[in-house]
Amino acid sequence: MADIAAGGNTAIQVKGARELAKALRQAGADMQDLKDANRRAADIVAPAAKAKAPRRTGRLAASVRAGATQKAGVVRAGRRSVPYAGPINYGWPKRHIKATLFINKAAKATEPQWTEAYRAAVERIIQDIYSQTQGAAQ
């Protein structure tokens, strides 16, 4: 897994998604299907991240949300009104803030569910490609 943090937002991205997207695109897959799979995976992790978020006011947990592109499922935390999401997740040694890694831990804890969702989605996409190529060959 690769971790991405920018502008007060925290996100998790699965490595290899770009290569998978490229291979499926070359095979003629509908890339919207992969975006849907990425969204389903992020939708699995986001509730776990909300549950694991440290709580004082609840604003950090409320800022956790799922997103997706054709290349990645993303779980974000933070926004302009919650700029501390990155330091809370990753830590900030200079300010004596220890990393909680709540999003990372949520991704790890739900890994069997979201990897199964990806497996099933990729199998469906491959089956669709196979069906299209078999129909075109006849």
Side-chain angles (χ1 to χ4, degrees):
M1 304 210 72
D3 304 325
I4 301 170
N9 288 330
T10 301
I12 302 295
Q13 181 178 9
V14 177
K15 280 188 178 181
R18 182 174 300 163
E19 293 82 1
L20 174 61
K22 181 179 177 184
L24 291 173
R25 219 178 1 263
Q26 289 173 341
D30 179 358
M31 297 313 293
Q32 184 61 41
D33 292 341
L34 190 55
K35 183 177 179 180
D36 293 343
N38 290 335
R39 170 61 116 174
R40 282 192 297 276
D43 284 341
I44 291 168
V45 177
K50 283 183 182 197
K52 290 183 180 295
R55 282 188 172 56
R56 283 194 182 171
T57 65
R59 292 173 65 209
L60 177 59
S63 76
V64 175
R65 61 213 177 273
T69 67
Q70 290 177 354
K71 296 180 181 177
V74 182
V75 175
R76 292 184 176 90
R79 51 178 53 101
R80 187 172 294 202
S81 63
V82 187
Y84 46 85
I88 296 298
N89 190 62
Y90 295 107
W92 192 355
K94 194 175 199 178
R95 301 282 177 144
H96 306 290
I97 298 172
K98 291 186 179 184
T100 63
L101 301 175
F102 70 97
I103 294 178
N104 306 60
K105 290 175 183 176
K108 185 67 177 165
T110 58
E111 188 172 2
Q113 292 90 5
W114 57 261
T115 54
E116 175 57 27
Y118 271 122
R119 186 201 57 73
V122 170
E123 279 187 11
R124 278 192 302 276
I125 293 167
I126 290 170
Q127 186 58 46
D128 289 346
I129 293 169
Y130 180 77
S131 296
Q132 291 170 8
T133 58
Q134 292 304 310
Q138 295 175 353

